[in-house]
Amino acid sequence: MDQRRRVPRTDAVLADPRLVAAAARAGRHVVKSAVTRAQERARGGEIEPERVADAALEELRRVAPARAVINATGVLLHTNLGRAPLSAAAVDAVATAAGNTDVEFDLDSGGRARRGRGALAALAAAVPEAGGVHVVNNNAAALVLAATALAAGREIVISRGELVEIGDGFRIPDLLVSTGARLREVGTTNLTHLADYTGAVGPETGFVLKVHPSNFRVEGFTGSVPARELAAARLGVPLVVDIGSGLLAREPLLPDEPDAASTLRAGADLVTASGDKLLGGPQAGLLLGRRELVERLRRHPLARALRVDKLTLAALEATLRDAEPPVRRALRARPEDLAERAAAIVRKLEGIVTAAVARVPATVGGGGAPGVELPSAAVALPAELARRLRTGEPAVVGRVEDGRLLLDLRTVPPGQDEALAGAVLAACR
Ligand SMILES: *Cc1c(COP(=O)(O)O)cnc(C)c1O
């Protein structure tokens, strides 16, 4: 029979109870256009006519509005799950800023004020070593701004051991070259010496860049030149350091992770970092350093294209004023407390599903502290539950390991334990 004639009519497809439910959530016109596309695919022979409703549902799931997810992966900063969750204070600040705010207005004088001055003041107060601070869209934007303003048409000296791919196919060297700067690569993948830098710096140099290897580790016969030694060598050009994860001060639990204050004290002229990694704030790029350098970046025309919106500024300011945003709290959680929470959840599941407490390692992820394992505790469940939990309400994402699903509590805020247990019970039904 003609394939085209077997394609079900729109009314018939829309009567599918799953699509009726979807229409209640997403709106009838959205569902109808998904059905139309599925019918077209069936007419073209791309899918079986019986699968029109399924195909429409699959599309609706793919393009559904962003949903809240409980991060039970054990990866503290999961880039695909939106990295750092904001604190309650930051969420409140975002809600307040969503209307009209004094982001660029002085209520006292009635005149214009410096945009985002609250966030900038909080950042400056957190890192007194910085003579100037500025905030852009993300760390990649911070690097683009520095490269454009300080090295377009000139050279950036960088070690071959620090040519990093950030993720999703994006690479820092490509990013830098896209600004019109040239890379002067020095040293080798495993070893770079101070002499490599001193031999390369010359009249063409815009700046020397150090990039923290935040998502990998090289072991064995390796060595790089610390910022302190590069600064002490007085190369006569700015030393820019991309520290990656956004720690403003030393974190005792992550002794190998660089921080802004120490890096500036070591003599760096400019530090760049992300706002949504270990700082625990919104997506943002932080620039901290010598006052006149930061001022040059701030006044560069490109700065206007990279500026952050009022929601980001509000979230960043609240995060900087918060002693312990969720990421920091998760990092510092004690394994015994995590095991106790896991045991409480396991008790709730007794007689319903095979569940056990598992002592497992969690990680920082998201470009921070590679190789560091944080002792943690998880609820271990049958692996078959993984998909049901991901597609449930709330969505729960764990990790499947050795044939079982692990829900790692280090990355779950304690306030979500009850919702997590409820989601597991619903998935078992
Ligand atoms: C994560 C990271 C970046 C990219 O930061 P975004 O804020 O995602 O743009 C750049 N450099 C290093 C070293 C990083 O760890």
Side-chain angles (χ1 to χ4, degrees):
M1 192 168 101
D2 179 9
Q3 171 92 355
R4 303 177 66 97
R5 294 190 47 198
R6 284 171 50 215
V7 174
R9 289 180 32 190
T10 309
D11 299 357
V13 183
L14 284 173
D16 184 306
R18 296 170 304 168
L19 286 171
V20 172
R25 277 198 307 272
R28 192 177 153 85
H29 62 287
V30 172
V31 174
K32 201 169 159 188
S33 75
V35 169
T36 306
R37 270 188 297 279
Q39 287 170 316
E40 270 159 23
R41 289 174 63 199
R43 284 190 200 103
E46 208 185 309
I47 56 170
E48 289 299 315
E50 299 72 39
R51 290 208 60 252
V52 167
D54 291 341
L57 273 165
E58 277 160 25
E59 181 189 319
L60 288 167
R61 260 201 293 276
R62 272 199 307 276
V63 302
R67 288 178 53 194
V69 170
I70 295 183
N71 174 13
T73 59
V75 180
L76 226 57
L77 298 166
H78 199 299
T79 296
N80 304 144
L81 298 181
R83 289 192 184 157
L86 295 181
S87 64
V91 170
D92 279 352
V94 168
T96 302
N100 286 125
T101 78
D102 61 347
V103 63
E104 222 173 293
F105 186 78
D106 184 350
L107 292 167
D108 206 41
S109 70
R112 187 195 177 93
R114 179 157 178 197
R115 184 180 176 82
R117 61 205 175 286
L120 294 170
L123 184 57
V127 188
E129 289 84 353
V133 296
H134 185 57
V135 179
V136 290
N137 179 58
N138 57 10
N139 193 6
L143 286 168
V144 162
L145 185 56
T148 308
L150 309 178
R154 304 172 70 201
E155 289 181 353
I156 297 172
V157 177
I158 183 170
S159 160
R160 292 196 172 88
E162 298 175 10
L163 300 172
V164 180
E165 173 161 329
I166 319 170
D168 195 21
F170 289 103
R171 296 169 167 175
I172 287 180
D174 298 345
L175 188 78
L176 296 170
V177 167
S178 76
T179 67
R182 295 188 304 279
L183 292 192
R184 177 73 185 268
E185 297 174 13
V186 298
T188 60
T189 307
N190 58 321
L191 267 175
T192 302
H193 305 285
L194 182 59
D196 295 321
Y197 287 98
T198 51
V201 170
E204 278 300 292
T205 309
F207 60 85
V208 170
L209 176 64
K210 270 198 71 69
V211 177
H212 178 54
S214 56
N215 53 8
F216 69 100
R217 266 206 317 211
V218 278
E219 279 172 33
F221 186 47
T222 65
S224 61
V225 186
R228 179 177 301 285
E229 275 176 43
L230 278 171
R234 306 206 171 280
L235 298 169
V237 295
L239 171 60
V240 180
V241 182
D242 170 10
I243 61 168
S245 70
L247 283 181
L248 298 183
R250 270 182 51 75
E251 167 56 60
L253 287 170
L254 305 172
D256 295 333
E257 205 54 26
D259 65 275
S262 309
T263 307
L264 289 170
R265 274 202 301 277
D269 299 293
L270 189 69
V271 166
T272 77
S274 299
D276 56 353
K277 292 183 177 173
L278 288 168
L279 181 66
Q283 177 187 306
L286 315 180
L287 286 150
L288 309 100
R290 267 187 19 229
R291 187 184 181 78
E292 65 277 14
L293 270 186
V294 174
E295 206 53 25
R296 255 171 84 187
L297 302 189
R298 195 173 76 80
R299 299 314 313 174
H300 191 280
L302 187 60
R304 182 62 168 80
L306 303 177
R307 83 173 191 186
V308 287
D309 81 330
K310 59 183 178 175
L311 304 182
T312 301
L313 289 166
L316 182 63
E317 179 175 358
T319 302
L320 288 164
R321 297 194 192 288
D322 191 341
E324 216 174 43
V327 165
R328 209 65 66 77
R329 200 168 305 169
L331 179 67
R332 293 182 184 161
R334 300 183 331 158
E336 311 85 80
D337 295 341
L338 299 174
E340 223 166 83
R341 287 170 51 199
I345 294 173
V346 166
R347 277 195 298 276
K348 285 190 190 165
L349 303 174
E350 236 163 39
I352 293 162
V353 62
T354 323
V357 177
R359 297 286 193 145
V360 293
T363 57
V364 172
V372 170
E373 292 194 338
L374 307 163
S376 188
V379 177
L381 295 166
E384 301 81 70
L385 286 176
R387 185 169 185 282
R388 283 226 224 133
L389 277 165
R390 284 201 311 272
T391 54
E393 187 65 54
V396 176
V397 182
R399 66 179 192 272
V400 174
E401 232 172 64
D402 302 328
R404 41 182 205 168
L405 170 65
L406 298 175
L407 302 181
D408 193 319
L409 290 181
R410 185 173 284 280
T411 51
V412 179
Q416 291 185 349
D417 282 4
E418 212 168 302
L420 181 67
V424 178
L425 288 171
C428 292
R429 263 181 230 125

